[in-house]
Amino acid sequence: FAADNSLAMDGWAIDDFCFESNPSPCAQSVVENGGDFIWLDQNMPNPANDLTEIAFSVPKTGNAELTITNLIGQQIATVFKGEVNIGRHTIKVNTSDLANGIYYYALRFDGKQMVRKMVIAK
């Protein structure tokens, strides 16, 4: 991030960049060179109020589970459990029943798990 010396302090940011190496171009998905990777995006918005979206990507068709736990590791919600196709998926999550605080959400797929932190602020 950077900002100029103007009164408004407008700035700039870079997102979605990659480093290329010949002859391979940058990957456009979670599957690169036959990889078997899952990806879990940061929930948006974060901090969340009553509704947030969680996106994830899987490398093949299979069963996925998306859960929310509190800070002491207690699972408090399963927001998705079922079969998904290869690619990117977005789940809308109602967080109105969650108290203010920090939570973790986890994606489980094909024996792999990825976890991210979510903040609830009302």
Side-chain angles (χ1 to χ4, degrees), residues 40-43 46 54 66-79 93 98 101-108 113-120:
L40 181 60
D41 286 351
Q42 183 63 53
N43 67 298
N46 188 33
I54 299 173
L66 188 61
T67 59
I68 298 175
T69 59
N70 60 20
L71 278 176
I72 60 173
Q74 297 170 318
Q75 184 174 317
I76 57 172
T78 298
V79 294
V93 180
L98 299 178
I102 297 172
Y103 296 86
Y104 294 97
Y105 58 99
L107 171 66
R108 291 176 190 84
Q113 175 175 290
M114 190 168 186
V115 178
R116 292 213 180 254
K117 181 169 62 171
M118 162 172 65
V119 176
I120 303 296

Side-chain angles (χ1 to χ4, degrees), residues 36-114:
D36 197 23
F37 303 102
I38 63 171
W39 183 256
L40 181 60
D41 286 351
Q42 183 63 53
N43 67 298
M44 294 300 289
N46 188 33
N49 189 338
D50 289 333
L51 186 67
T52 191
E53 288 187 355
I54 299 173
F56 63 92
S57 298
V58 296
K60 61 185 177 184
T61 298
N63 290 313
E65 182 178 34
L66 188 61
T67 59
I68 298 175
T69 59
N70 60 20
L71 278 176
I72 60 173
Q74 297 170 318
Q75 184 174 317
I76 57 172
T78 298
V79 294
F80 178 82
K81 185 174 185 176
E83 187 174 65
V84 292
N85 293 323
I86 185 174
R88 184 174 171 83
H89 305 274
T90 302
I91 307 293
K92 292 180 189 276
V93 180
N94 182 344
T95 59
S96 61
D97 291 340
L98 299 178
N100 289 345
I102 297 172
Y103 296 86
Y104 294 97
Y105 58 99
L107 171 66
R108 291 176 190 84
F109 181 84
D110 197 30
K112 296 171 181 59
Q113 175 175 290
M114 190 168 186

Side-chain angles (χ1 to χ4, degrees), residues 1-4 9-14:
F1 296 95
D4 59 20
M9 299 301 284
D10 293 331
W12 54 270
I14 298 173

